[in-house]
Amino acid sequence: MTVFAQTGVLARRNLLHVLSDPEQLIGITVQPLMFLLLFVYVFGGAISGSTTGYLEFVLPGLLVQGIGFGTTQTAIGLNADFQRGLIDRFRSLPMARSAVVAGRVTADIGRTAWMCLITVGVGAALGFRLHGGVAGAIGAFGLVLAVGVAMCWVMAFLGVSLRSAEAVQTAGFLLILPLTFASSVLVPAASMPGWLQAFVKVNPISVFVTAMRGLLLGGPVAAPVLQSAAWIVGMCVVFGTLTVSRYRRRA
Amino acid sequence: MPTEFAIRTDLLDKSFGRTRVLDQLTLEVPAGAIYGLLGPNGAGKTTLVRILATLLTPDAGRAFVLGRDVVAQPQRVREVIGLTGQYAAVDDLISARENLYLIGRLLGLRPRAARARGAQLLAAFGLSEVAGTTVKSYSGGMRRRLDLAASLVGRPAVLFLDEPTTGLDLASRNELWDMIRVLAADGTTVLLTTQYLEEADRLAGRVMVIDHGRTVAEGTPAELKGMAGGQVLEVRPLHGADVGGAATVLADLTGAGRPVVAGDLLCVRVPDDDLVAAAARSLDVAGIPVRHFVVRLPSLDEAFLAITGQHEAGASR
Ligand SMILES: Nc1ncnc2c1ncn2[C@@H]1O[C@H](COP(=O)(O)OP(=O)(O)OP(=O)(O)O)[C@@H](O)[C@H]1O
Ligand SMILES: [Mg+2]
């Protein structure tokens, strides 16, 4: 059996977890919906002067932010497999060692896609329009999934590195909260102090969001998409390697 | 490499930080046998099993499963082993059927074959009726059975069972013992770790006792009982108030073991018959009347305590 087939089998198992657990199903459906409604109606008037204006601005960002929070589940799930001793079972089988992590990442991409669809669906109902055309929308969807893969690897690294579920949960939150808030997800960077603007500019989340805005709303895309691609490849290579090597060594 | 032994380790060393967990451990398990690895908490049983199952690498020494080197050829070792760890390694969130299907597929079975193998094992382990419910709702015994079934999906020639019956009630334990016997009768080599001597006695043809990562005794259960050094004297004073006094008297006997008190019953190891007579005299002199004074062979538990105890004394000298 190839690594890909094994990855598929394990991804199926991880998706079964979601499908058999109503709480998780509700969670991944309600969370993006809640984020969208809260941000649009609470901040919309203050930040953009109107909710529809803010909806356009924030929706591409919320997709990226949602991926950030959503993929903490990758870390938690992988860590739980270690706690349950399941990883020992997998490692005593004659199978590819990378398949366990890859299967988890694959399943989480499925979840990410679902959360994005909910966000965009609800956004459309509230008046969000794709000014970037069909090509832009397809590009945005592809980009968001690629960002999901990259984030999954970062989270997978947390999941195999930290011992307890609590530590994983806290670390995931402490990583994602500042990264997504100190970015151009929710407000334009222009209103922030200079030193923070400098951070926001290099923050990969901002890079992703800029690319998403370009693709969904129309506007310059070449540079931000290329930058995003560089970040995504970098994150996958660095954290993919780190995760798999740590997974191999962890006793 | 000689392959007469299904499992062979040669002077294995393993330390965690500064703690030495395995110390020049050498083990030889003949093919088709149930072999018991016996030791108290922290003796290094799990560590040894994890090394043999390719989950840990030894610091020094070598280990072979069916002639395959666990360090140099781990993937080839994984092809022939099954592992039931100390803690049930099953996926709680999916059903027993899905658990076995998953393992079957990972082992390279086609979907249909994986389903069939799973169904076969579920039936053999009495889990067919609950096969569709999530494992979360299973009792400890059911989880253990599923765990064992999961380690058998690939029909391993060598099976590692790390304390398989810990935490099970008597009925479940007996059931599991029967299953292990059936496996061995089919030719599977079973390495079983346990803290229960009774378990080793009932199941294993040979037993190795380890403590602090070192072999302290090896042989058949009967031989181990013999190693405990002679017989056991049981004394029950006529008056409950005399238990303490009797313990002091017996403790003062030179050459005898330390008396063990359980309720109003005292047990003490007496390597030779003279000591039995001496015990009778001393109790008489101390004015302690007894209503029960019997010499018998040691149980395996006492043999175990005696063997690991001697080792302890030897190590601290
Ligand atoms: N990963 C680890 N890191 C540090 N120390 C460890 C590790 N694994 C085991 N040890 C230590 O090694 C010693 C032997 O552990 P091991 O689990 O092999 O014993 P055991 O015989 O299986 O005991 P038990 O009957 O409690 O299961 C113990 O002192 C334990 O604390
Ligand atoms: Mg153990």
Side-chain angles (χ1 to χ4, degrees), chain A residues 204-224:
Chain A
I205 299 289
S206 305
V207 175
F208 298 147
V209 173
T210 309
M212 288 293 289
R213 286 201 178 110
L215 288 165
L216 287 173
L217 306 175
V221 288

Side-chain angles (χ1 to χ4, degrees), chain A residues 1 6 9-10 12-13 16-17 20 84-86 88-97 250-251, chain B residues 50 54-56 75 78-79 83 88-91 93-94 98 101-103 105-107 115 147 150-151:
Chain A
M1 203 179 204
Q6 288 166 352
V9 172
L10 285 161
R12 175 177 175 279
R13 163 207 168 225
L16 277 180
H17 285 179
S20 66
R84 289 190 200 110
L86 264 175
D88 279 353
R89 160 136 293 140
F90 294 144
R91 287 202 294 199
S92 69
L93 296 177
M95 57 177 277
R97 296 209 150 181
R250 180 164 168 176
Chain B
R50 289 175 63 83
T54 73
L55 300 176
L56 274 181
Q75 208 68 344
R78 292 177 194 133
E79 287 165 8
L83 168 66
V90 289
D91 191 337
L93 304 176
I94 57 179
E98 286 295 344
Y101 175 76
L102 172 68
I103 305 291
R105 294 283 288 138
L106 290 176
L107 284 167
R115 291 265 174 236
D147 197 31
S151 60

Side-chain angles (χ1 to χ4, degrees), chain B:
Chain B
M1 215 60 245
T3 52
E4 316 87 78
F5 294 109
I7 304 169
R8 208 171 76 84
T9 77
D10 189 21
L11 300 173
L12 277 187
D13 282 341
K14 180 75 190 177
S15 301
F16 291 112
R18 263 199 243 128
T19 341
R20 188 136 247 216
V21 178
L22 293 182
D23 192 357
Q24 310 232 306
L25 199 84
T26 295
L27 168 78
E28 289 174 340
V29 179
I34 302 184
Y35 193 97
L37 191 64
L38 212 67
N41 283 130
K45 305 182 292 294
T46 299
T47 305
L48 178 59
V49 166
R50 289 175 63 83
I51 287 175
L52 290 170
T54 73
L55 300 176
L56 274 181
T57 47
D59 298 336
R62 308 185 71 185
F64 303 90
V65 177
L66 297 186
R68 301 157 192 224
D69 189 319
V70 298
V71 177
Q73 308 165 286
Q75 208 68 344
R76 297 218 46 223
V77 170
R78 292 177 194 133
E79 287 165 8
V80 295
I81 61 166
L83 168 66
T84 303
Q86 186 163 358
Y87 306 99
V90 289
D91 191 337
D92 277 339
L93 304 176
I94 57 179
S95 66
R97 186 179 291 132
E98 286 295 344
N99 263 285
L100 297 184
Y101 175 76
L102 172 68
I103 305 291
R105 294 283 288 138
L106 290 176
L107 284 167
L109 296 181
R110 303 205 153 270
R112 190 185 297 244
R115 291 265 174 236
R117 179 69 180 141
Q120 196 182 18
L121 286 164
L122 289 169
F125 285 80
L127 292 168
S128 298
E129 274 175 25
V130 290
T133 39
T134 49
V135 173
K136 222 187 313 187
S137 63
Y138 285 18
S139 72
M142 287 154 76
R143 292 168 63 92
R144 259 297 171 198
R145 293 207 301 267
L146 176 61
D147 197 31
L148 183 55
S151 60
L152 295 175
V153 173
R155 302 175 204 276
V158 176
L159 183 63
F160 302 113
L161 301 176
D162 196 1
E163 302 197 21
T165 62
T166 301
L168 294 192
D169 62 24
L170 215 66
S172 311
R173 183 177 297 179
N174 277 316
E175 262 174 37
L176 210 66
W177 284 351
D178 287 340
M179 287 167 187
I180 295 168
R181 284 194 197 99
V182 169
L183 287 171
D186 286 347
T188 308
T189 305
V190 179
L191 179 68
L192 166 105
T193 84
T194 181
Q195 297 183 40
Y196 304 120
L197 286 132
E198 193 199 351
E199 187 158 273
D201 198 13
R202 294 280 199 87
L203 285 175
R206 289 191 81 78
V207 175
M208 185 160 99
V209 181
I210 65 171
D211 198 13
H212 301 293
R214 253 175 287 176
T215 310
V216 289
E218 207 270 348
T220 62
E223 284 168 355
L224 289 189
K225 285 183 207 168
M227 266 179 231
Q231 44 211 357
V232 174
L233 171 64
E234 286 184 359
V235 177
R236 186 172 271 133
L238 188 59
H239 309 293
D242 281 339
V243 172
T248 319
V249 169
L250 294 175
D252 286 344
L253 285 177
T254 39
R258 209 149 32 88
V260 179
V261 185
D264 63 345
L265 183 71
L266 297 114
C267 295
V268 62
R269 273 189 314 117
V270 283
D272 61 75
D273 288 343
D274 291 349
L275 272 169
V276 178
R281 273 197 307 277
S282 306
L283 286 169
D284 196 32
V285 169
I288 298 172
V290 298
R291 60 186 165 101
H292 173 93
F293 190 90
V294 173
V295 179
R296 59 164 173 81
L297 279 175
S299 72
L300 205 45
D301 274 291
E302 286 158 336
F304 180 59
L305 275 179
I307 291 164
T308 53
Q310 276 167 14
H311 169 68
E312 202 97 47
S316 59
R317 232 174 268 142

Side-chain angles (χ1 to χ4, degrees), chain A residues 6-150:
Chain A
Q6 288 166 352
T7 301
V9 172
L10 285 161
R12 175 177 175 279
R13 163 207 168 225
N14 292 323
L15 285 175
L16 277 180
H17 285 179
V18 182
L19 295 179
S20 66
D21 182 359
E23 285 166 34
Q24 262 202 68
L25 261 182
I26 294 173
I28 64 173
T29 308
V30 170
Q31 188 190 316
L33 200 150
M34 206 173 66
F35 268 49
L36 186 64
L37 293 180
L38 279 178
F39 280 115
V40 167
Y41 288 107
V42 175
F43 294 138
I47 295 172
S48 298
S50 79
T51 50
T52 38
Y54 189 57
L55 176 66
E56 287 214 327
F57 175 82
V58 83
L59 189 138
L62 284 183
L63 289 174
V64 176
Q65 190 184 40
I67 288 170
F69 283 109
T71 50
T72 52
Q73 200 59 41
T74 305
I76 294 165
L78 208 51
N79 188 263
D81 282 351
F82 273 103
Q83 310 284 340
R84 289 190 200 110
L86 264 175
I87 300 285
D88 279 353
R89 160 136 293 140
F90 294 144
R91 287 202 294 199
S92 69
L93 296 177
M95 57 177 277
R97 296 209 150 181
S98 52
V100 173
V101 186
R104 167 73 57 184
V105 171
T106 308
D108 287 340
I109 297 312
R111 270 182 4 168
T112 304
W114 172 250
M115 292 174 79
C116 290
L117 288 177
I118 297 279
T119 305
V120 173
V122 175
L126 297 180
F128 184 79
R129 292 296 170 259
L130 296 166
H131 300 298
V134 178
I138 292 172
F141 192 63
L143 178 64
V144 106
L145 291 188
V147 171
V149 174

